[in-house]
Amino acid sequence: STAATTTGPTGTKIATIALYEAVGATNEGQRELEALSKKLDPKQSELKAQNDELDSLKKQLQTQGDKLNDEARGNLVRQIDTKQKALDRAAQDFREDAGAQQQEIAQKLLQKMAPVLLKYVKDNGYGLLIDNSKQWSEGGAIIMTSDAFDITKAVVEAYNAQSGVPAPAAAPAAAKPAATRP
């Protein structure tokens, strides 16, 4: 008789993982996202400057609008409208670009994390692993779970140990690149 071999999970235990968050929690993920944040800082500063200029024009219209003649008021309104549309477009482009770059980082790291995750699941006898990332409609398709099922931290630790990437230096409150809006 020939012995059947299985390469997939063989256990009966169930676990959950916040896979998207796990990728960002790895030392490598933190390093990559911090580098992206620094790369995006100049554009974010530029958007803030545009927003400040627009606010200044709006205040000018509010305080001087009734003192301006129709032509001057009309010019100021058109200038505000043009700058608002340009800012909205630039902010949307920024959010899309930052999101695409974050997604690219996540995909790259997820591919590197997959073998560690599969080994962890197999070595620990899990037969079912459910992704409950916040990215999937605020908590995934899971109705209820217990922290006892969550292996996110353990997989992050296993990945960090395997990757050899050191933990980033502690920084005061790290901001997410695409979180701020002008």
Side-chain angles (χ1 to χ4, degrees):
S1 89
T2 56
T5 59
T6 58
T7 56
T10 57
T12 55
K13 297 187 329 185
I14 297 171
T16 63
I17 186 169
L19 196 53
Y20 193 76
E21 289 83 356
V23 166
T26 63
N27 294 341
E28 190 172 359
Q30 290 177 52
R31 182 185 69 192
E32 294 286 327
L33 291 172
E34 180 63 27
L36 176 60
S37 180
K38 286 180 181 165
K39 177 181 163 189
L40 296 174
D41 275 349
K43 184 64 178 178
Q44 212 161 8
S45 296
E46 181 184 319
L47 289 171
K48 184 182 179 328
Q50 286 179 321
N51 191 58
D52 291 348
E53 180 184 0
L54 185 59
D55 283 348
S56 175
L57 290 173
K58 287 177 180 177
K59 284 178 188 164
Q60 181 183 347
L61 179 63
Q62 190 176 35
T63 58
Q64 300 174 4
D66 55 351
K67 297 173 188 142
L68 299 173
N69 64 37
D70 288 345
E71 184 181 346
R73 187 173 41 256
N75 286 338
L76 187 55
V77 168
R78 280 189 295 282
Q79 188 179 6
I80 289 170
D81 187 48
T82 300
K83 288 186 181 293
Q84 182 69 59
K85 286 177 184 172
L87 176 61
D88 291 347
R89 280 195 284 277
Q92 179 66 28
D93 289 347
F94 174 76
R95 284 190 297 273
E96 288 173 5
D97 182 47
Q101 290 184 61
Q102 285 176 324
Q103 195 63 26
E104 190 177 305
I105 289 168
Q107 289 301 318
K108 179 180 76 171
L109 292 174
L110 186 55
Q111 287 176 347
K112 292 170 78 173
M113 183 183 267
V116 175
L117 176 60
L118 292 174
K119 181 180 182 330
Y120 184 90
V121 166
K122 188 176 179 186
D123 289 352
N124 290 281
Y126 291 102
L128 177 63
L129 179 62
I130 302 167
D131 183 6
N132 65 348
S133 292
K134 295 279 186 261
Q135 160 188 20
W136 317 122
S137 69
E138 291 307 310
I142 296 178
I143 305 301
M144 185 201 78
T145 187
S146 162
D147 288 345
F149 290 112
D150 194 337
I151 63 170
T152 305
K153 185 176 183 206
V155 170
V156 167
E157 288 170 357
Y159 180 82
N160 285 341
Q162 180 268 330
S163 75
V165 175
K176 292 185 180 178
T180 27
R181 293 179 182 211

